[in-house]
Amino acid sequence: MKIRTIGVLATVGAAFGAALLTPNASAAPEYDPAMLAALAADQGSSPRDAAARLDRERDLTAALADLRTRGVQVDGAFFDHAGRLVANTSDPAAVTAAGLTPRTAARGERALDALAAKVERAIGADLGQVQAWGPDVVGDRVLVTVEPDATSALVAKLSRMDGVAVERGAARVAPQADVVPGRIMDLVPGTNCSLGFPGTRNGAKVLLTAGHCVEGNPDILDANGTHIGKGIATRFPSADMGLMSIDPEDTGRGYVDTRMGTTVAVKGLSKAAVGATICKAGNTTGWTCGKVSAYNQTVRYSGESTSTKGLARSTVCTEGGDSGGAYISGNTAQGMTSGGPADGHDCGFNQGSNATGSYSYYQPVVDAANYYGVTLTTS
């Protein structure tokens, strides 16, 4: 009888067995030392300072959630370069008392969402010239990324819209699944992705991943070719969320494998504020880190006639084969890799915040868990 555990994210090749033999998920450090070292190098600080920053982001995020629970008007929030949590609000006194920084002269998140809908209508038949668009709460605008060869007429039309900024993308974006036989989350007949977050639904063991990874409900194998589950549901390309069943004899674990011999415990799930520190593990690039850039992004993936909506954007570097992999902020699950630029860039492996690359998109795990009715496995 096969009895195995399935971590929050799978590893590559021979590393699979070693990583899953971690004695106990509860023994996982609150913050992985390698993650802190990478963040410290990126920020020009010490690992202790990096841990303090994560603690501060956690505490300010909790304060923001408390404000919203109490009915204080907050219309979007983000971490600035100084580490302050800036909140759009009509009640600056309450926001200041909670330790946040108020911003009163802004369009706000709801107005930006409405403006993004107007942008979509303005794009219309020119969709093939556009890569992505969505709210940029930091810049208080809607940012549109067009193809490198987009016409000047389209750029001018969109740029004339009040509150809209246009940039030319470096390359087309694509869902990041490679054909790499023998790696973790091999999808019969051979496409490769990364495992995301395990949990339960109506008592059954399941795992949340990218929707494009489980199109057609494939059988799913580990690096040794052993069956570990099967795709059972997908939403793609309208969104990029999918569900895999976990075989009865296998067990999902509530921690992320950093791919460097350590794990990070998952304590819950959320949508971290824009600007929050975030890392992901994937079977192609390992452990890479960055910041949350934006939410509610609409992306037109190469080869798809329908746009993918509701994605988050980050500065985390990803490559093909990372799709489905787990994003985490501190100890809070954030999402699963969806896609990124298909420009041949090389993130390196386990480069933390030093990985090269411009941006990536991920499916927020909160939305996927709510849609499928999944309760995440935590430590």
Side-chain angles (χ1 to χ4, degrees):
M1 176 181 294
K2 59 187 178 81
I3 301 176
R4 299 176 309 285
T5 60
I6 299 176
V8 172
L9 187 113
T11 56
V12 176
F16 180 66
L20 294 188
L21 290 177
T22 302
N24 191 307
S26 63
E30 182 175 10
Y31 301 129
D32 172 63
M35 174 179 70
L36 294 179
L39 295 177
D42 183 56
Q43 299 165 4
S45 62
S46 68
R48 182 185 296 273
D49 290 337
R53 178 170 186 137
L54 291 175
D55 285 342
R56 185 167 63 253
E57 289 181 0
R58 178 196 61 202
D59 293 344
L60 289 173
T61 299
L64 176 62
D66 180 64
L67 283 173
R68 286 172 165 154
T69 299
R70 292 191 284 114
V72 176
Q73 178 65 39
V74 175
D75 193 14
F78 62 92
F79 285 99
D80 66 10
H81 292 298
R84 298 174 301 183
L85 186 52
V86 181
N88 297 326
T89 184
S90 57
D91 190 348
V95 168
T96 300
L100 279 62
T101 302
R103 184 171 71 167
T104 56
R107 292 181 179 85
E109 201 167 51
R110 284 188 291 273
L112 292 178
D113 286 341
L115 180 55
K118 292 181 180 178
V119 167
E120 181 171 9
R121 292 192 292 271
I123 292 169
D126 292 320
L127 180 62
Q129 300 184 52
V130 179
Q131 290 184 3
W133 67 92
D136 169 16
V137 69
V138 179
D140 198 37
R141 62 186 183 172
V142 168
L143 180 62
V144 184
T145 305
V146 299
E147 295 288 1
D149 58 354
T151 65
S152 297
L154 175 63
V155 172
K157 179 174 72 171
L158 296 175
S159 298
R160 283 194 296 269
M161 298 179 68
D162 184 40
V164 175
V166 182
E167 65 176 9
R168 289 187 185 270
R172 300 178 70 87
V173 293
Q176 293 179 318
D178 278 349
V179 178
V180 185
R183 291 193 177 181
I184 297 306
M185 200 172 176
D186 281 331
L187 317 172
V188 177
T191 301
N192 171 245
C193 279
S194 302
L195 293 174
F197 292 98
T200 57
R201 183 177 73 158
N202 299 327
K205 294 183 291 184
V206 294
L207 181 135
L208 290 165
T209 185
H212 72 267
C213 287
V214 289
E215 284 188 297
N217 294 338
D219 285 290
I220 298 170
L221 314 178
D222 67 11
N224 300 315
T226 304
H227 195 280
I228 58 173
K230 183 178 178 64
I232 56 174
T234 182
R235 291 184 68 201
F236 183 80
S238 59
D240 199 5
M241 58 182 72
L243 204 60
M244 160 192 152
S245 65
I246 296 177
D247 289 345
E249 62 271 33
D250 300 327
T251 303
R253 297 297 187 188
Y255 51 89
V256 175
D257 173 11
T258 67
R259 313 299 296 284
M260 294 180 283
T262 55
T263 60
V264 177
V266 176
K267 300 296 186 182
L269 68 165
S270 74
K271 287 185 177 179
V274 169
T277 304
I278 191 170
C279 296
K280 80 97 191 65
N283 68 44
T284 301
T285 62
W287 190 250
T288 56
C289 301
K291 301 287 185 183
V292 179
S293 300
Y295 288 102
N296 200 22
Q297 300 294 292
T298 300
V299 179
R300 186 188 63 83
Y301 282 130
S302 177
E304 299 293 339
S305 59
T306 303
S307 300
T308 302
K309 298 188 176 185
L311 298 182
R313 178 166 164 157
S314 77
T315 62
V316 175
C317 193
T318 61
E319 293 181 31
D322 285 329
S323 282
Y327 283 68
I328 190 165
S329 180
N331 293 106
T332 308
Q334 296 298 315
M336 297 79 66
T337 300
S338 177
D343 57 358
H345 68 277
D346 183 4
C347 301
F349 189 77
N350 283 350
Q351 293 298 301
S353 300
N354 298 314
T356 59
S358 51
Y359 55 91
S360 60
Y361 297 98
Y362 64 91
Q363 170 66 59
V365 69
V366 169
D367 297 339
N370 287 341
Y371 181 82
Y372 287 120
V374 172
T375 300
L376 244 59
T377 299
T378 58
S379 296

XYZ file of all heavy atoms in Angstrom, residues 215-298:
598
model
N -7.106 21.334 -16.693
C -8.094 21.256 -17.764
C -8.173 19.826 -18.281
O -7.159 19.162 -18.478
C -7.705 22.198 -18.910
C -7.976 23.661 -18.633
C -7.759 24.509 -19.867
O -6.616 24.570 -20.358
O -8.737 25.106 -20.350
N -9.393 19.329 -18.476
C -9.570 17.958 -18.948
C -9.499 16.924 -17.848
O -9.530 15.720 -18.115
N -9.373 17.363 -16.575
C -9.331 16.453 -15.418
C -8.294 15.347 -15.575
O -8.607 14.150 -15.561
C -10.716 15.841 -15.166
C -11.737 16.876 -14.748
O -11.387 17.945 -14.258
N -13.008 16.573 -14.949
N -7.007 15.713 -15.717
C -5.968 14.695 -15.918
C -5.663 13.906 -14.653
O -5.901 14.382 -13.532
C -4.758 15.535 -16.316
C -4.966 16.818 -15.568
C -6.450 17.069 -15.642
N -5.114 12.720 -14.820
C -4.509 12.013 -13.701
C -3.210 12.724 -13.355
O -2.518 13.265 -14.226
C -4.228 10.558 -14.070
C -5.491 9.726 -14.102
O -6.046 9.490 -13.014
O -5.922 9.338 -15.202
N -2.863 12.733 -12.064
C -1.703 13.484 -11.594
C -0.736 12.543 -10.898
O -1.110 11.780 -10.001
C -2.147 14.621 -10.655
C -3.041 15.599 -11.445
C -0.935 15.350 -10.084
C -3.741 16.616 -10.602
N 0.508 12.599 -11.340
C 1.553 11.703 -10.852
C 2.635 12.496 -10.137
O 2.832 13.685 -10.401
C 2.178 10.936 -12.019
C 1.223 10.313 -13.035
C 2.010 9.641 -14.153
C 0.266 9.336 -12.367
N 3.390 11.815 -9.256
C 4.535 12.466 -8.627
C 5.787 12.204 -9.467
O 5.725 11.659 -10.573
C 4.706 12.011 -7.179
C 5.092 10.544 -7.037
O 5.445 9.895 -8.056
O 5.054 10.033 -5.907
N 6.942 12.594 -8.948
C 8.190 12.474 -9.719
C 8.537 11.028 -10.035
O 9.240 10.755 -11.009
C 9.337 13.119 -8.951
N 8.044 10.117 -9.236
C 8.337 8.696 -9.456
C 7.297 8.011 -10.330
O 7.354 6.795 -10.526
C 8.422 7.976 -8.107
C 9.512 8.543 -7.226
O 10.629 8.778 -7.696
N 9.202 8.770 -5.963
N 6.336 8.792 -10.826
C 5.306 8.204 -11.665
C 4.195 7.544 -10.883
O 3.380 6.810 -11.453
N 4.118 7.804 -9.585
C 3.078 7.225 -8.739
C 1.856 8.141 -8.721
O 1.983 9.350 -8.554
C 3.583 7.032 -7.301
O 4.766 6.229 -7.345
C 2.537 6.364 -6.441
N 0.687 7.581 -8.845
C -0.554 8.348 -8.879
C -0.819 8.988 -7.520
O -0.802 8.318 -6.488
C -1.713 7.418 -9.250
C -2.963 8.131 -9.665
N -3.849 8.662 -8.762
C -3.470 8.408 -10.894
C -4.854 9.221 -9.417
N -4.652 9.085 -10.716
N -1.052 10.316 -7.491
C -1.356 10.995 -6.229
C -2.711 11.695 -6.250
O -3.198 12.129 -5.198
C -0.274 12.023 -5.847
C -0.108 13.082 -6.946
C 1.047 11.340 -5.544
C 0.828 14.217 -6.575
N -3.349 11.811 -7.429
C -4.650 12.472 -7.477
C -5.134 12.639 -8.899
O -4.557 12.107 -9.846
N -6.220 13.407 -9.030
C -6.825 13.615 -10.341
C -7.519 14.971 -10.366
O -8.123 15.390 -9.378
C -7.852 12.512 -10.632
C -8.501 12.594 -12.016
C -9.459 11.429 -12.217
C -10.157 11.527 -13.571
N -9.203 11.422 -14.696
N -7.406 15.681 -11.485
C -8.133 16.926 -11.629
C -9.628 16.680 -11.595
O -10.119 15.727 -12.198
N -10.365 17.536 -10.881
C -11.812 17.318 -10.770
C -12.633 18.566 -11.108
O -13.848 18.461 -11.291
C -12.211 16.813 -9.365
C -11.717 17.778 -8.279
C -11.678 15.412 -9.127
C -12.204 17.411 -6.873
N -11.974 19.730 -11.202
C -12.720 20.952 -11.518
C -11.751 22.022 -11.994
O -10.593 22.068 -11.563
C -13.494 21.456 -10.294
N -12.230 22.888 -12.894
C -11.385 23.977 -13.373
C -12.222 25.157 -13.822
O -13.346 24.983 -14.300
C -10.491 23.515 -14.541
O -9.652 24.610 -14.947
C -11.320 23.074 -15.730
N -11.678 26.350 -13.622
C -12.213 27.576 -14.207
C -11.068 28.256 -14.943
O -10.191 28.868 -14.326
C -12.764 28.510 -13.131
C -14.014 28.028 -12.437
C -14.504 29.086 -11.457
N -15.001 30.282 -12.145
C -15.101 31.492 -11.568
N -14.696 31.657 -10.317
N -15.574 32.516 -12.249
N -11.034 28.116 -16.231
C -10.030 28.747 -17.074
C -10.550 28.759 -18.501
O -11.130 27.769 -18.934
C -8.695 27.986 -17.004
C -7.600 28.651 -17.798
C -6.924 29.741 -17.275
C -7.267 28.197 -19.066
C -5.929 30.365 -18.014
C -6.275 28.823 -19.805
C -5.597 29.908 -19.277
N -10.434 29.863 -19.236
C -9.647 31.045 -18.891
C -10.402 32.171 -18.198
O -9.838 33.242 -17.985
C -9.157 31.512 -20.265
C -10.271 31.146 -21.180
C -10.822 29.845 -20.656
N -11.683 32.007 -17.863
C -12.414 33.099 -17.210
C -11.747 33.502 -15.897
O -11.670 34.675 -15.541
C -13.865 32.685 -16.959
O -13.920 31.534 -16.142
N -11.268 32.518 -15.139
C -10.424 32.708 -13.960
C -9.297 31.689 -14.120
O -9.169 31.067 -15.176
C -11.214 32.488 -12.684
N -8.462 31.507 -13.098
C -7.430 30.460 -13.202
C -7.342 29.678 -11.906
O -6.316 29.628 -11.244
C -6.077 31.056 -13.564
C -5.118 29.997 -14.134
O -5.561 28.850 -14.328
O -3.947 30.328 -14.391
N -8.466 29.070 -11.542
C -8.516 28.255 -10.332
C -8.953 26.840 -10.690
O -9.791 26.640 -11.575
C -9.464 28.865 -9.298
C -10.890 29.048 -9.773
S -11.985 29.823 -8.527
C -11.408 31.515 -8.529
N -8.347 25.863 -10.038
C -8.681 24.475 -10.307
C -8.581 23.634 -9.054
O -8.032 24.065 -8.031
N -9.121 22.434 -9.147
C -9.195 21.554 -7.990
C -8.724 20.161 -8.381
O -9.075 19.644 -9.440
C -10.642 21.497 -7.496
C -10.909 21.123 -6.041
C -10.251 22.117 -5.089
C -12.421 21.083 -5.788
N -7.914 19.569 -7.509
C -7.422 18.203 -7.685
C -7.861 17.370 -6.492
O -7.823 17.830 -5.347
C -5.889 18.236 -7.765
C -5.181 16.930 -7.466
S -3.389 17.180 -7.259
C -2.991 15.818 -6.143
N -8.305 16.150 -6.738
C -8.571 15.228 -5.637
C -7.248 14.653 -5.154
O -6.303 14.502 -5.925
C -9.484 14.093 -6.096
O -8.827 13.300 -7.073
N -7.146 14.353 -3.870
C -5.974 13.683 -3.305
C -6.372 12.245 -3.002
O -7.402 11.988 -2.377
C -5.492 14.393 -2.021
C -5.028 15.814 -2.345
C -4.360 13.607 -1.364
C -4.609 16.625 -1.125
N -5.576 11.297 -3.470
C -5.888 9.881 -3.261
C -6.062 9.574 -1.773
O -5.404 10.188 -0.920
C -4.786 8.999 -3.843
C -4.776 9.008 -5.361
O -5.770 9.464 -5.952
O -3.776 8.563 -5.954
N -6.942 8.624 -1.442
C -7.270 8.356 -0.028
C -6.064 8.059 0.852
O -6.047 8.422 2.033
C -8.202 7.135 -0.123
C -8.815 7.235 -1.478
C -7.750 7.797 -2.361
N -5.055 7.387 0.299
C -3.898 7.006 1.119
C -2.864 8.111 1.256
O -1.858 7.948 1.935
C -3.224 5.752 0.546
C -2.679 5.924 -0.853
C -3.692 5.595 -1.935
O -4.899 5.837 -1.724
O -3.277 5.093 -2.984
N -3.089 9.251 0.603
C -2.141 10.361 0.650
C -2.667 11.463 1.560
O -3.878 11.594 1.760
C -1.900 10.917 -0.753
C -1.329 9.863 -1.690
O -0.573 9.004 -1.199
O -1.651 9.890 -2.885
N -1.765 12.288 2.081
C -2.132 13.299 3.068
C -1.577 14.652 2.695
O -0.371 14.795 2.475
C -1.600 12.915 4.469
O -2.109 11.627 4.824
C -2.034 13.940 5.505
N -2.433 15.664 2.624
C -1.990 17.030 2.400
C -1.484 17.633 3.698
O -2.060 17.409 4.759
N -0.389 18.384 3.604
C 0.212 18.984 4.794
C 0.149 20.504 4.722
O 0.260 21.093 3.652
C 1.676 18.555 4.937
C 1.854 17.046 5.142
C 1.204 16.581 6.430
N 1.509 15.175 6.713
C 0.946 14.478 7.675
N 0.043 15.045 8.456
N 1.270 13.215 7.863
N 0.015 21.145 5.872
C -0.151 22.588 5.934
C 1.146 23.356 6.050
O 1.315 24.151 6.976
N 2.063 23.104 5.147
C 3.291 23.889 5.124
C 3.842 23.940 3.709
O 3.598 23.063 2.893
C 4.352 23.342 6.088
C 4.644 21.867 5.974
C 5.620 21.398 5.088
C 3.975 20.933 6.754
C 5.896 20.040 4.986
C 4.248 19.581 6.668
C 5.218 19.134 5.783
O 5.497 17.797 5.683
N 4.563 25.011 3.410
C 5.163 25.208 2.097
C 6.605 24.718 2.133
O 7.368 25.082 3.024
C 5.138 26.697 1.692
C 5.885 26.912 0.379
C 3.699 27.189 1.565
N 6.964 23.893 1.157
C 8.339 23.441 1.005
C 9.119 24.530 0.269
O 8.820 24.850 -0.877
C 8.340 22.133 0.206
C 9.737 21.662 -0.151
O 10.713 22.215 0.376
O 9.852 20.725 -0.965
N 10.122 25.105 0.921
C 10.886 26.189 0.306
C 11.862 25.702 -0.752
O 12.528 26.514 -1.384
C 11.691 26.965 1.363
O 12.708 26.103 1.888
C 10.786 27.457 2.479
N 12.002 24.384 -0.891
C 12.912 23.791 -1.862
C 14.367 23.903 -1.435
O 15.267 23.641 -2.221
C 12.731 24.441 -3.236
C 11.268 24.583 -3.678
C 10.587 23.248 -3.787
N 11.217 22.452 -4.814
C 11.032 22.644 -6.128
N 10.191 23.563 -6.535
N 11.652 21.904 -7.004
N 14.568 24.325 -0.184
C 15.930 24.460 0.331
C 16.103 23.663 1.625
O 16.906 24.009 2.475
C 16.257 25.936 0.553
C 16.313 26.737 -0.741
S 16.711 28.486 -0.516
C 15.134 29.106 0.067
N 15.289 22.602 1.769
C 15.412 21.734 2.934
C 14.648 22.211 4.151
O 14.802 21.632 5.232
N 13.843 23.260 4.011
C 13.061 23.767 5.135
C 11.620 23.971 4.686
O 11.309 23.918 3.499
C 13.624 25.101 5.654
O 13.687 26.036 4.572
C 15.011 24.915 6.244
N 10.747 24.223 5.650
C 9.344 24.458 5.349
C 8.853 25.696 6.078
O 9.443 26.134 7.073
C 8.467 23.258 5.772
O 8.589 23.044 7.183
C 8.861 21.997 5.015
N 7.766 26.286 5.567
C 7.127 27.429 6.211
C 5.685 27.037 6.528
O 4.929 26.659 5.634
C 7.141 28.670 5.303
C 6.408 29.823 5.966
C 8.570 29.083 4.977
N 5.320 27.095 7.789
C 3.985 26.695 8.210
C 2.925 27.633 7.647
O 3.125 28.842 7.568
C 3.901 26.683 9.737
N 1.792 27.075 7.241
C 0.641 27.852 6.782
C -0.325 27.995 7.953
O -0.833 27.001 8.481
C -0.063 27.164 5.593
C -1.321 27.939 5.196
C 0.880 27.040 4.411
N -0.578 29.234 8.373
C -1.445 29.497 9.524
C -2.838 29.961 9.125
O -3.739 30.009 9.961
C -0.799 30.561 10.424
C 0.557 30.170 10.980
C 0.483 28.983 11.905
C 1.830 28.704 12.564
N 1.782 27.502 13.442
N -3.011 30.325 7.861
C -4.306 30.819 7.407
C -4.188 31.291 5.975
O -3.195 31.024 5.292
N -5.197 32.007 5.490
C -5.182 32.526 4.135
C -5.740 33.939 4.134
O -6.551 34.299 4.985
C -5.974 31.636 3.187
C -7.498 31.541 3.333
C -8.103 30.903 2.089
C -7.907 30.736 4.560
N -5.275 34.763 3.184
C -5.724 36.147 3.126
C -5.350 36.733 1.773
O -4.704 36.084 0.952
C -5.074 36.980 4.239
O -3.706 37.233 3.947
N -5.761 37.992 1.574
C -5.236 38.813 0.491
C -4.399 39.895 1.163
O -4.935 40.873 1.679
C -6.364 39.437 -0.333
C -7.095 38.461 -1.237
C -8.117 39.188 -2.104
C -8.817 38.242 -3.062
N -9.831 38.950 -3.893
N -3.087 39.707 1.167
C -2.207 40.686 1.803
C -2.335 42.029 1.087
O -2.623 42.084 -0.111
C -0.763 40.201 1.763
N -2.107 43.102 1.810
C -2.202 44.434 1.218
C -1.173 44.610 0.111
O -0.094 44.004 0.139
C -1.999 45.505 2.287
N -1.502 45.424 -0.870
C -0.553 45.758 -1.919
C 0.727 46.300 -1.280
O 0.678 47.091 -0.339
C -1.162 46.802 -2.878
C -0.102 47.376 -3.814
C -2.295 46.180 -3.678
N 1.878 45.822 -1.762
C 3.158 46.221 -1.195
C 3.687 45.258 -0.163
O 4.855 45.362 0.247
N 2.867 44.287 0.278
C 3.312 43.311 1.267
C 4.348 42.363 0.664
O 4.340 42.075 -0.535
C 2.123 42.517 1.799
N 5.237 41.869 1.493
C 6.245 40.904 1.078
C 5.590 39.563 0.783
O 4.721 39.106 1.534
C 7.299 40.732 2.182
O 7.848 42.008 2.502
C 8.407 39.797 1.752
N 6.002 38.925 -0.312
C 5.402 37.653 -0.705
C 6.465 36.776 -1.354
O 7.378 37.278 -2.021
C 4.210 37.895 -1.670
C 3.387 36.626 -1.882
C 4.680 38.481 -2.983
C 2.079 36.868 -2.629
N 6.395 35.473 -1.124
C 7.312 34.510 -1.740
C 6.509 33.369 -2.339
O 5.380 33.107 -1.916
C 8.299 33.946 -0.728
S 9.448 35.168 -0.021
N 7.097 32.684 -3.309
C 6.435 31.523 -3.885
C 7.444 30.404 -4.078
O 8.639 30.638 -4.239
C 5.760 31.873 -5.220
C 6.677 31.921 -6.430
C 6.645 30.605 -7.214
C 7.739 30.545 -8.244
N 9.087 30.541 -7.709
N 6.939 29.173 -4.051
C 7.746 28.002 -4.354
C 7.184 27.348 -5.604
O 5.975 27.194 -5.747
C 7.744 27.020 -3.179
N 8.063 26.987 -6.530
C 7.636 26.356 -7.772
C 8.678 25.361 -8.242
O 9.854 25.476 -7.892
N 8.272 24.394 -9.053
C 9.213 23.330 -9.380
C 10.253 23.734 -10.412
O 11.214 23.005 -10.629
C 8.468 22.060 -9.816
C 7.749 22.208 -11.144
O 8.273 22.750 -12.102
N 6.527 21.710 -11.221
N 10.112 24.892 -11.054
C 11.121 25.345 -12.016
C 12.103 26.319 -11.383
O 13.317 26.179 -11.538
C 10.449 26.017 -13.232
O 9.567 25.097 -13.857
C 11.500 26.467 -14.245
N 11.587 27.297 -10.647
C 12.455 28.351 -10.115
C 12.663 28.270 -8.608
O 13.406 29.071 -8.043
C 11.888 29.739 -10.462
O 10.603 29.890 -9.848
C 11.757 29.899 -11.965
N 12.017 27.301 -7.942
C 12.196 27.162 -6.505
C 11.584 28.318 -5.741
O 10.436 28.681 -5.948
N 12.373 28.910 -4.864
C 11.899 29.935 -3.927
C 12.276 31.313 -4.447
O 13.449 31.660 -4.546
C 12.543 29.675 -2.575
C 12.020 30.470 -1.423
C 12.671 31.464 -0.755
C 10.752 30.322 -0.765
N 11.890 31.945 0.274
C 10.709 31.260 0.289
C 9.652 29.492 -0.969
C 9.610 31.386 1.134
C 8.557 29.614 -0.123
C 8.543 30.549 0.913
N 11.275 32.107 -4.830
C 11.506 33.477 -5.292
C 10.554 34.408 -4.551
O 9.452 34.010 -4.191
C 11.306 33.615 -6.811
O 9.997 33.156 -7.171
C 12.342 32.792 -7.570
N 10.975 35.641 -4.334
C 10.224 36.570 -3.488
C 10.067 37.933 -4.157
O 10.778 38.259 -5.105
C 10.930 36.753 -2.144
S 11.157 35.217 -1.196
N 9.151 38.715 -3.648
C 8.913 40.056 -4.163
C 7.831 40.737 -3.359
O 7.710 40.526 -2.149
N 7.002 41.539 -4.044
C 5.934 42.295 -3.408
C 4.615 42.064 -4.146
O 4.597 41.798 -5.343
C 6.240 43.799 -3.439
C 7.529 44.193 -2.750
C 7.416 44.104 -1.247
C 8.672 44.628 -0.569
N 8.609 44.480 0.903
N 3.506 42.190 -3.434
C 2.189 42.227 -4.067
C 2.066 43.562 -4.788
O 2.310 44.615 -4.191
C 1.064 42.080 -3.027
C -0.298 42.147 -3.710
C 1.210 40.782 -2.249
N 1.703 43.532 -6.073
C 1.615 44.764 -6.859
C 0.190 45.278 -7.016
O -0.049 46.484 -6.967
C 2.212 44.555 -8.257
O 3.559 44.177 -8.188
N -0.766 44.372 -7.246
C -2.135 44.819 -7.533
C -3.074 43.626 -7.489
O -2.655 42.467 -7.612
C -2.206 45.485 -8.905
N -4.367 43.933 -7.339
C -5.423 42.911 -7.391
C -6.405 43.230 -8.516
O -6.343 44.281 -9.148
C -6.174 42.852 -6.061
C -5.383 42.230 -4.933
C -4.779 43.013 -3.950
C -5.224 40.847 -4.847
C -4.048 42.448 -2.921
C -4.499 40.269 -3.821
C -3.910 41.063 -2.865
O -3.175 40.493 -1.855
N -7.312 42.286 -8.742
C -8.392 42.442 -9.715
C -7.852 42.774 -11.102
O -8.384 43.621 -11.810
C -9.391 43.513 -9.268
C -10.725 43.370 -9.969
O -11.072 42.300 -10.456
N -11.486 44.459 -10.036
N -6.796 42.070 -11.484
C -6.181 42.273 -12.793
C -6.832 41.366 -13.840
O -7.156 40.206 -13.560
C -4.688 41.978 -12.723
C -3.945 42.860 -11.726
C -3.937 44.315 -12.121
O -3.321 44.698 -13.107
N -4.636 45.143 -11.349
N -7.009 41.911 -15.030
C -7.527 41.146 -16.161
C -6.380 40.898 -17.132
O -5.687 41.843 -17.527
C -8.661 41.893 -16.868
O -9.719 42.122 -15.928
C -9.195 41.086 -18.040
